[in-house]
Amino acid sequence: GAGVSQSPSNKVTEKGKDVELRCDPISGHTALYWYRQSLGQGLEFLIYFQGNSAPDKSGLPSDRFSAERTGGSVSTLTIQRTQQEDSAVYLCASSLWRRASTDTQYFGPGTRLTVL
Amino acid sequence: DQQVKQNSPSLSVQEGRISILNCDYTNSMFDYFLWYKKYPAEGPTFLISISSIKDKNEDGRFTVFLNKSAKHLSLHIVPSQPGDSAVYFCAASTSGSNYKLTFGKGTLLTVNP
């Protein structure tokens, strides 16, 4: 079956512009996660959704970052007034959330964001 | 502060030999550990995991060892194959926030034919 898909795969934007990154999780997965990987760093947790609600937004770096999920499926991560330090690969993952502590998170290929 | 550390940015081994990738953690609340493998331009893929109630978990050529007292885990790949060449990430979670994985920076493994 289809895995997690993300679009666009690459995004180049100018400082100060808004960007939207999209994630399509694996069908039937109720949990969805956003991470980002800055150059030379590990993946950093941003936010997670259970259905359409986000119980933990603690990883969002600033109020310029927001995310939503509709219909328990597609999620959009929005970054307003982008800054150069926002340049990173943004990764989305999804999971079934059957047994919480052992759920495997399946990752998409990521969106590489470059802010000029 | 980095709670999960992979101190070796890269490792090179010969095909057929053992690859040992190491990971240290500082948060004693971590009770579940995972290894992910990542090829260029792809997302990380789950490889193997271990709960803190165990000290070893094996899956084919891959074995993960956990030393809780030392806050150290390692991934052994035997025998190593050229297709294993990838970046390997160690990750950990707590039972209180089991959805949130904390990752190390990764180790680039190169298996030479």
Side-chain angles (χ1 to χ4, degrees), chain A residues 62-84:
Chain A
S62 73
D63 59 7
R64 297 186 293 104
F65 287 72
S66 62
E68 65 174 14
R69 189 179 185 194
T70 54
S73 181
V74 172
S75 176
T76 303
L77 177 69
T78 301
I79 309 173
Q80 295 178 309
R81 304 181 303 281
T82 52
Q83 303 294 312
Q84 287 182 333

Side-chain angles (χ1 to χ4, degrees), chain A residues 47-113:
Chain A
I47 186 171
Y48 113 96
F49 288 89
Q50 185 58 256
N52 290 336
S53 64
D56 189 344
K57 307 178 184 180
S58 64
L60 294 177
S62 73
D63 59 7
R64 297 186 293 104
F65 287 72
S66 62
E68 65 174 14
R69 189 179 185 194
T70 54
S73 181
V74 172
S75 176
T76 303
L77 177 69
T78 301
I79 309 173
Q80 295 178 309
R81 304 181 303 281
T82 52
Q83 303 294 312
Q84 287 182 333
E85 61 262 28
D86 299 335
S87 296
V89 177
Y90 289 82
L91 290 147
C92 174
S94 69
S95 73
L96 277 170
W97 198 259
R98 284 180 304 183
R99 290 179 298 152
S101 63
T102 59
D103 265 358
T104 297
Q105 297 184 19
Y106 296 87
F107 283 84
T111 294
R112 180 176 296 278
L113 175 65

Side-chain angles (χ1 to χ4, degrees), chain A residues 35 42 48 56 58 97 105 108, chain B residues 36 43 89 98-101 104:
Chain A
Y35 292 83
Y48 113 96
D56 189 344
S58 64
W97 198 259
Q105 297 184 19
Chain B
Y36 276 82
F89 290 99
N98 50 41
Y99 51 84
K100 184 189 298 188
L101 298 180

